[in-house]
Amino acid sequence: MQTVEQITAALESFLAESPRAVVLEDGKVLFDMREAKYKLATEHGRCTLHLWGEDRNLVRRVSGTTLRNGVLRLSTHRFGQTKPQTLELVTDRDRRTPSTREATRVRYLKVLERVLLRSFPEFKVDGLRTAMDLEKSFGPAYARGSLIQGQKAWAVIAVNAEETQATVDGILTLGILWLQHCRDSGDGRRLYQGLKLIVPRGLAILTLSRMAWLNPAVAQWELWELDQKSEELEQRDAADHGNLITRLMHAPNEQAAHERFAESKLRVMALVPETMREAVEQRLRGGTELAFLLHGLEFARVRMGYAGSSFNSAQEITFGAGANETPMTEENENELRELVARLFARRIAGGDKRDPLYRMQPERWLESVLRRDFEPLDARLDPKHVYTQVPAFAAADRGMLDLLGITEDGRLAVIELKADEDLHLALQGLDYWVRVRWHHLQNPDNTTGLGEFQRHGYFGGLRLSAEPPRLYLVAPALRVHPATEVVLRYLSPRVEWSLIALDERWRAKVKAVWRKRNTDAGSHSTHVLQGRV
């Protein structure tokens, strides 16, 4: 039988590793942990789990946990009932069994072959497959092959409608890698002129916006939408990617907000060990919430709300790391003091790498370190004007942290941080760059001459350059996926990027161990790639 401490550790560890987990009961999604909150109470030798979100609330006693194949199963009991029930925490919303996924992909492969033969009768379909090749980062979700006509050829990659949105959105990264693989393994017998991507009908928006920024000098790019029921294939124009799904929130008045929260700030900081108070970061989340962070991990927050059923404003203080959140009351103040003490003792640069509190939200930790010292990235960056995820936009499972800054010459700087290996780093960075550029190009106000960012309260008093933003991609050296540099070579020269690899000991001190820029490659890499077309 598991102890309360073991149950708590299992839950905290799973959610630290899987911040996008979902909670299931009888196969139905009850909570998405990107939006839901939870509280673990460990009183009288029992562990009680409280989960809540916008549309539901759940309280269960947890008597045991089992981790198997990436799924954490909780044996739970409703109050007053002895019969156990099971809650499942899973990292992947795709709940199909491996055999079901395989059958779906085999059927799709047959449909795809028929569609290709009918749509491109002058070509021969060659080597169509979904086999996994981990060495080259190819997974079974993507069908890959070639269209051959004599010595001319196209690389082809496709994804079926049963895959997740995140898998569909990842097709361009895998497509570029597949095109490069086809060119590398062609032995000069075939000249691959470009890449054809095939996605389910209606799911091409993000891929279209990315394709507009690929280099047409190094390859031809075609995007097609497939209706699997009718087997109709329709080409999409990369220049027609519609309106960007993005919003630019107004920057809060920091001085007024800090004055508004002054009393609550004193209550929160009174629970922090005196020797550690300088390490606490205070970050506004709009004008109605103030967050308190340790090395990027939010452990407390103050929110504006309403008192009871009246319309009088009131402030609520809550504590908890990640999705774990507990309202502060006079009764639990000592409990919260102990929680904060544990956090400050365990989330330190030389901490235990197995500890959930050490592992949680590594990108946020990296952000907090860089906010104190941007010079290792670029001495031209202004540390006084840095904003997190502005603008915000809708995309599936980005898993990235976006920063927006400015260099001393007035150029906007898009900074993408990744603490773990991710082969989609380059194109996810591009996504954010595209949106920042779009907002920057909006017409300035005729009266003030200010652009959209400044009209919304950002970069006050600074003159922004009309030049497009710079893109910085940042990750620890051993976490830079080999695919990143391949994808970057195919981007348009209009995107000015820098890839910066950090020393693995970045928690203690940030140091760049190597960096690469698109200007470093010059015309040589373009010439090499053109020679394969």
Side-chain angles (χ1 to χ4, degrees):
M1 183 175 179
Q2 288 178 299
T3 65
V4 167
E5 290 76 16
Q6 289 172 326
I7 292 171
T8 301
L11 274 165
E12 288 183 346
S13 180
F14 187 88
L15 291 172
E17 296 289 347
S18 311
R20 294 172 180 78
V22 293
V23 180
L24 306 176
E25 186 171 44
D26 298 326
K28 179 182 178 182
V29 176
L30 299 183
F31 299 96
D32 185 328
M33 296 311 296
R34 290 175 298 181
E35 302 168 355
K37 299 292 184 181
Y38 80 93
K39 175 187 175 183
L40 275 173
T42 55
E43 298 176 334
H44 310 298
R46 291 186 173 188
C47 182
T48 302
L49 174 64
H50 181 192
L51 285 158
W52 69 94
E54 289 187 0
D55 57 353
R56 60 167 49 91
N57 187 54
L58 178 148
V59 180
R60 299 279 176 85
R61 180 169 64 85
V62 183
S63 59
T65 66
T66 305
L67 180 61
R68 186 176 300 166
N69 298 326
V71 177
L72 183 67
R73 291 180 173 83
L74 309 181
S75 181
T76 68
H77 303 262
R78 297 176 187 268
F79 287 112
Q81 297 185 8
T82 57
K83 184 179 179 181
Q85 296 173 306
T86 300
L87 290 178
E88 292 182 316
L89 276 72
V90 300
T91 58
D92 191 346
R93 295 184 71 105
D94 187 352
R95 296 295 293 149
R96 295 176 297 167
T97 64
S99 59
T100 301
R101 283 197 294 267
E102 176 64 19
T104 299
R105 291 162 181 170
V106 169
R107 287 196 301 271
Y108 177 73
L109 208 59
K110 295 177 181 177
V111 171
L112 180 63
E113 185 169 17
R114 289 197 301 269
V115 168
L116 291 174
L117 288 171
R118 185 171 60 248
S119 302
F120 307 103
E122 69 276 21
F123 286 91
K124 171 188 173 185
V125 179
D126 182 64
L128 204 57
R129 58 191 180 276
T130 60
M132 182 179 292
D133 187 343
L134 294 179
E135 183 182 350
K136 298 181 176 63
S137 303
F138 299 128
Y142 301 98
R144 312 174 301 278
S146 300
L147 290 175
I148 308 298
Q149 185 187 49
Q151 287 188 316
K152 293 192 301 182
W154 283 80
V156 177
I157 191 167
V159 62
N160 73 75
E162 297 299 315
E163 306 296 344
T164 64
Q165 182 68 54
T167 301
V168 175
D169 290 341
I171 192 172
L172 185 54
T173 297
L174 275 299
I176 291 173
L177 297 180
W178 177 241
L179 172 61
Q180 186 67 41
H181 170 73
C182 291
R183 287 175 164 178
D184 288 342
S185 58
D187 297 327
R189 294 179 293 109
R190 293 170 182 164
L191 298 176
Y192 279 84
Q193 57 196 87
L195 174 69
K196 296 181 189 288
L197 301 105
I198 301 175
V199 301
R201 176 161 292 178
L203 299 182
I205 296 296
L206 185 60
T207 304
L208 275 173
S209 71
R210 292 172 170 179
M211 284 183 62
W213 295 96
L214 297 181
N215 191 345
V218 297
Q220 298 178 49
W221 311 97
E222 292 185 2
L223 180 62
W224 299 76
E225 287 189 329
L226 174 61
D227 185 325
Q228 289 174 221
K229 291 184 178 179
S230 66
E231 298 190 5
E232 294 180 359
L233 197 62
E234 179 182 1
Q235 187 172 8
R236 295 293 304 270
D237 182 357
D240 177 25
H241 50 78
N243 294 325
L244 296 173
I245 305 174
T246 181
R247 64 185 185 278
L248 189 57
M249 307 299 291
H250 202 283
N253 183 320
E254 295 211 10
Q255 181 178 346
H258 279 285
E259 290 175 357
R260 185 184 314 127
F261 292 123
E263 185 176 341
S264 295
K265 284 166 56 177
L266 291 176
R267 292 187 66 193
V268 171
M269 295 303 291
L271 299 186
V272 175
E274 188 172 351
T275 57
M276 300 294 292
R277 289 175 185 171
E278 289 187 2
V280 175
E281 306 163 69
Q282 298 181 20
R283 198 86 53 79
L284 284 172
R285 312 280 194 218
T288 59
E289 183 174 338
L290 176 66
F292 299 80
L293 305 92
L294 174 64
H295 302 317
L297 179 62
E298 186 176 317
F299 68 89
R301 68 241 14 112
V302 181
R303 295 191 185 95
M304 296 298 299
Y306 296 101
S309 58
S310 72
F311 289 100
N312 296 324
S313 62
Q315 294 182 13
E316 179 189 46
I317 301 174
T318 64
F319 281 81
N324 189 357
E325 190 167 335
T326 304
M328 180 179 178
T329 64
E330 292 182 2
E331 291 76 18
N332 67 6
E333 191 167 320
N334 285 334
E335 176 187 339
L336 295 177
R337 191 186 307 275
E338 293 175 3
L339 181 151
V340 172
R342 289 197 303 271
L343 170 65
F344 277 71
R346 294 158 58 183
R347 191 172 175 84
I348 57 178
D352 184 353
K353 295 181 180 179
R354 298 167 298 178
D355 190 320
L357 289 176
Y358 178 92
R359 298 199 310 270
M360 287 182 82
Q361 300 182 6
E363 278 84 20
R364 296 286 178 184
W365 194 334
L366 180 55
E367 176 209 2
S368 71
V369 174
L370 286 172
R371 279 179 178 270
R372 294 194 297 269
D373 184 13
F374 268 118
E375 188 169 352
L377 302 188
D378 191 333
R380 297 172 296 177
L381 286 166
D382 182 355
K384 297 179 182 179
H385 294 86
V386 184
Y387 306 95
T388 303
Q389 293 176 324
V390 178
F393 69 98
D397 296 330
R398 276 178 55 78
M400 306 292 289
L401 182 66
D402 315 304
L403 295 178
L404 178 62
I406 189 171
T407 54
E408 60 187 15
D409 59 356
R411 290 275 296 274
L412 290 175
V414 171
I415 306 166
E416 284 282 355
L417 306 179
K418 193 66 182 166
D420 295 312
E421 192 174 85
D422 191 330
L423 80 165
H424 298 294
L425 171 62
L427 292 188
Q428 288 186 334
L430 177 67
D431 292 339
Y432 195 51
W433 182 90
V434 167
R435 282 151 179 81
V436 169
R437 176 184 177 275
W438 184 83
H439 282 286
H440 185 47
L441 288 177
Q442 298 310 296
N443 292 330
D445 184 274
N446 292 331
T447 303
T448 65
L450 298 177
E452 188 171 10
F453 282 110
Q454 291 174 308
R455 293 200 303 272
H456 282 75
Y458 301 99
F459 306 108
L462 299 181
R463 182 179 180 85
L464 300 185
S465 168
E467 293 293 312
R470 294 185 172 100
L471 173 60
Y472 297 84
L473 304 171
V474 184
L478 299 180
R479 304 295 189 272
V480 178
H481 196 285
T484 303
E485 292 186 59
V486 176
V487 175
L488 287 172
R489 291 204 301 268
Y490 281 91
L491 291 189
S492 167
R494 293 180 293 165
V495 183
E496 186 179 328
W497 56 262
S498 295
L499 176 61
I500 303 170
L502 303 178
D503 188 291
E504 292 291 323
R505 296 160 293 188
W506 55 264
R507 285 178 174 85
K509 181 177 177 60
V510 175
K511 178 182 178 182
V513 294
W514 57 259
R515 66 182 71 231
K516 298 183 180 181
R517 304 178 179 88
N518 59 334
T519 52
D520 294 339
S523 60
H524 175 67
S525 62
T526 302
H527 173 73
V528 171
L529 290 169
Q530 284 179 326
R532 295 189 182 122
V533 177

